[in-house]
Amino acid sequence: MSIEDPHRFLAFSTEVTAFATFDLWATGQVEAYLATVNSAIGGAILAELLSTYEKICLETEGQALSERKARLRRQIFGSEKLGPVARNIIKLWYVGTWYELPTAWSEAFGANPKDVPFVVSAAAYAEGLMWKAIGAHPAGAKAPGYGSWASPPTIPAFAGEPAIAQVKEVQVNRNEGLAR
């Protein structure tokens, strides 16, 4: 079983990367990263991660944002099973590389021959969110422009909780799950 709906993956990714949905789509890597996660851990675990996230969104609707964050920490990032996968997805978005899950994780939940470190593609490296986060360009992948090295990189101001704003745009429907 694999997850085919990029919107579910994107909603979770928006929440955990603190980048807007628009920014994630603009990388052009949504489908490639979804396929990477599907192949590295299998669709069942990814489905469990996304279902847990959606359940948290449904159950914390209308509550303080801090409650949803606390539940994400406890139920996803604090989970022996889901936490390492969620952290790998964040790293995937930021650097374009899938990192092998910890040995203890593979022993507990099953090893997968495709769970090995690799750069998803040359485009994934160039579109890594780390470049936006640090206000720089990917060396050797995108031209900085004539004379740009004369000025230090400028770290963009953090606008607060941009991912949270995106998640609020996802309408929660108890009968149909998350709708866009």
Side-chain angles (χ1 to χ4, degrees), residues 14-149:
T14 298
E15 176 98 28
V16 298
T17 62
F19 272 82
T21 303
F22 175 82
D23 292 325
L24 299 185
W25 274 122
T27 66
Q29 299 301 307
V30 175
E31 288 87 2
Y33 290 170
L34 177 57
T36 295
V37 177
N38 265 322
S39 70
I41 64 168
I45 294 174
L46 179 56
E48 182 179 341
L49 172 67
L50 297 179
S51 294
T52 302
Y53 170 68
E54 291 165 354
K55 182 179 175 194
I56 291 169
C57 289
L58 287 171
E59 292 175 355
T60 59
E61 181 184 13
Q63 297 180 12
L65 180 59
S66 60
E67 177 60 27
R68 186 169 76 224
K69 286 183 171 183
R71 293 207 37 204
L72 284 170
R73 271 193 294 279
R74 280 192 314 267
Q75 296 176 338
I76 292 179
F77 289 99
S79 164
E80 185 178 327
K81 185 177 190 180
L82 302 179
V85 174
R87 286 186 281 280
N88 261 22
I89 291 172
I90 294 169
K91 289 187 271 186
L92 183 61
W93 278 105
Y94 273 83
V95 297
T97 300
W98 176 262
Y99 290 95
E100 184 176 0
L101 289 161
T103 303
W105 190 94
S106 297
E107 290 172 355
F109 305 107
N112 185 327
K114 293 185 177 179
D115 178 27
V116 294
F118 67 95
V119 177
V120 173
S121 66
Y125 164 76
E127 295 300 330
L129 298 178
M130 74 173 168
W131 303 116
K132 272 187 131 174
I134 65 172
H137 70 91
K142 285 186 177 177
Y146 179 76
S148 66
W149 286 106

